[in-house]
């Protein structure tokens, strides 16, 4: 447009100019118009740009991928680096043809936390109340727990720690990861293996009167194997002489002092917390308060979370706001025990008495099982 205006102004004087002058003037005006329409920096190019798929190095030095558009499919050497930089400097917003991909957020953030090896493990004992402790403590917002028994340290150790980590729930940095496998307490290799994972692991042991625990263990096994021999036949090598068969697992588990000696070779007593299976029934809030203290948690799980189910003879969790009914443990919890001969029970109490006394001395607490 500027060239046209300038030519119109000069046209009245064109009769005074020679033909040669007119030609030179025309060439000069054409050059000015060409320069105005095609700036020099778009013609000059930097050849040999190997960057594929229209990638450019922007002013911040980071590579970005530009969305393919009609202008993007031009030869790469026709779109130099300095052109992109100058365009971005002239306008802080990327031009509409420059769609710059942003990096995806870390996967851990998308899934809210990461899988970590457990900070605390409920290691025993079977039929002591381990499931109840796990279900009660996981109400706490700072606790996440594996839902099933992993049996890593006694049956699956050869699978490796990464396999074990994969079984854990995702937790935030402030949360505690837990799992429970009651057979750990009576497995000889387990203390060393847990210590090798982390010497800082906190251990929880739920203990119960060993006689009552053995009867409960037998009752559970009997429901799965109705043809099982009688309790007395399994518990005694010679009942008339009071000789107890310690090879039977139901009896062997109750020798708490012997098992604890093995754990104390690898962990200090301060790192092991003992929950009373009897008090867990009569005072669940009090036992959970001590568990929370041991784990370094604020006391959030309190008596307001529990009510006593008279049918099961066991405490249950009160109805949460998001649920339509209270939450009790499964049908196998709180079942009626098999009736055992009174003389057999007294013989077992005599057998366990020295082991119980030694256990009380080791942990510094009298559980009053006599």
């Amino acid at each position: 447009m500027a060239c046209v205006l300038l030519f119109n102004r000069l046209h009245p004087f064109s009769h005074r100019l020679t033909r040669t002058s007119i030609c030179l003037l025309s060439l000069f005006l054409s050059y000015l118009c060409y320069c105005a329409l095609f700036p020099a920096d778009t013609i000059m190019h930097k050849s040999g740009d190997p960057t594929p798929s229209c990638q450019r190095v922007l002013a911040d030095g980071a590579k970005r991928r530009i969305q393919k558009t009609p202008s993007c499919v031009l030869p790469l050497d026709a779109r130099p680096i300095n052109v992109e930089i100058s365009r971005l400097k002239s306008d802080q917003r990327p031009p509409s043809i420059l769609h710059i991909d942003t990096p995806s957020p870390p996967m851990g953030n998308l899934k809210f936390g990461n899988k970590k090896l457990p900070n605390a493990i409920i290691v025993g004992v079977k039929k002591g109340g381990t499931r109840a402790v796990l279900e009660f403590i996981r109400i706490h917002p700072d606790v996440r727990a594996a839902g099933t028994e992993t049996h890593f340290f006694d049956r699956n150790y050869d699978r490796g720690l990464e396999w074990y980590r994969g079984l854990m729930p995702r937790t935030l940095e402030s949360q505690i990861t837990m799992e429970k496998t009651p057979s750990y307490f009576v497995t000889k290799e387990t203390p060393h293996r847990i210590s090798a994972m982390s010497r800082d692991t906190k251990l929880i042991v739920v203990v119960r009167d060993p006689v009552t625990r053995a009867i409960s263990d037998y009752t559970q096994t009997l429901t799965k194997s109705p043809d099982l021999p009688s309790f007395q036949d399994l518990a005694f090598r010679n009942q008339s002489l009071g000789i107890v068969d310690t090879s039977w697992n139901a009896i062997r588990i109750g020798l708490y002092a012997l098992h604890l000696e093995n754990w104390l070779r690898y962990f200090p007593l301060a790192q092991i917390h003992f929950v009373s299976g009897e008090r867990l029934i009569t005072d669940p809030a009090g036992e959970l308060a001590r568990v929370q203290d041991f784990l370094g948690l604020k006391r959030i799980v309190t008596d307001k979370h529990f009510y006593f189910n008279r049918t099961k003879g066991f405490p249950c969790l009160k109805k949460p706001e998001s649920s339509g009914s209270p939450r009790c443990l499964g049908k196998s919890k709180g079942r009626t025990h098999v009736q055992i001969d009174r003389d057999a029970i007294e013989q077992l109490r005599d057998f366990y008495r020295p082991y119980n006394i030694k256990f009380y001395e080791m942990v510094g607490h009298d559980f009053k099982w006599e």
Side-chain angles (χ1 to χ4, degrees), residues 120-124 133 178 202-206 273 275 291 294-295:
I121 303 176
I122 301 174
V123 297
V133 171
M178 291 185 66
K202 292 187 175 183
L203 309 170
I204 297 175
V205 186
V206 188
H273 179 71
V275 175
V291 171
F294 172 69
L295 295 176

Side-chain angles (χ1 to χ4, degrees), residues 130-131 146-152 156 179-184:
T130 57
R131 171 56 62 181
T148 58
E149 297 175 6
T150 69
H151 285 281
F152 172 66
N156 298 298
E179 76 117 326
K180 76 108 179 169
T181 302
S183 56
Y184 287 165

Side-chain angles (χ1 to χ4, degrees), residues 132-144:
V133 171
L134 185 70
E135 292 300 320
F136 295 164
I137 193 60
R138 72 195 308 180
I139 300 173
H140 200 292
D142 290 335
V143 174
R144 297 293 308 282

Side-chain angles (χ1 to χ4, degrees), residues 211 343-355 370:
V211 177
D343 290 338
I345 293 178
E346 290 304 321
Q347 286 177 305
L348 287 176
R349 292 204 181 280
D350 291 339
F351 165 76
Y352 277 119
R353 185 170 292 110
Y355 294 100
E370 300 305 318

